[in-house]
Amino acid sequence: VQLQASGGGLVPTGGSLRLSCAAGRTSSNNGMGWFRQAPGKEREFVATINWNGGNTDYADSVKGRFTISRDRVKNTVYLQMNSLKPEDTAVYYCAASRYASGSSQVGPYVKWGQGTLVTVSS
């Protein structure tokens, strides 16, 4: 089952976007994560959530600005991004872990979406 990420776009500094990831029923009991990759940089962890939404974790760079959540009925994971900065510009990827817990590491993730581009203008 492919993951479908959407919601990216062009926003000014300080703006907000909500990314969505349609994960499918087979990922409903799996931890999920959001990663991002800026041009010329390595893919980096952004946020993760466990299978039931009870535990979340964030990269220090986005804490207090981004919120990850999931709707298990809709099998969708969200990333609400507020107070966006130019350094948040990247392609954002959602991923499904092989485990029920979330993770900040790439290793546990076995399914990846195609990515959605977020551009924050200065």
Side-chain angles (χ1 to χ4, degrees), residues 6-96:
S6 61
L10 174 64
V11 293
T13 296
S16 298
L17 279 176
R18 189 177 79 158
L19 305 184
S20 299
C21 176
R25 286 185 297 170
T26 58
S27 295
S28 63
N29 293 323
N30 297 88
M32 299 290 295
W34 286 97
F35 291 76
R36 67 187 182 187
Q37 187 166 17
K41 294 188 176 181
E42 297 288 320
R43 188 170 297 191
E44 65 175 3
F45 165 72
V46 176
T48 187
I49 190 167
N50 74 328
W51 72 281
N52 67 357
N55 285 301
T56 59
D57 192 20
Y58 299 89
D60 288 342
S61 59
V62 306
K63 279 181 181 176
R65 301 189 297 122
F66 290 12
T67 302
I68 188 171
S69 61
R70 69 188 302 166
D71 184 329
R72 297 184 74 237
V73 173
K74 295 182 178 179
N75 296 310
T76 301
V77 178
Y78 303 98
L79 185 68
Q80 177 66 44
M81 305 186 296
N82 299 327
S83 302
L84 282 161
K85 305 174 181 180
E87 50 264 44
D88 294 318
T89 294
V91 177
Y92 283 71
Y93 299 90
C94 63

Side-chain angles (χ1 to χ4, degrees), residues 30 95-99 106-112:
N30 297 88
S97 173
R98 63 167 57 92
Y99 305 119
V106 171
Y109 293 95
V110 293
K111 298 178 185 177
W112 291 83

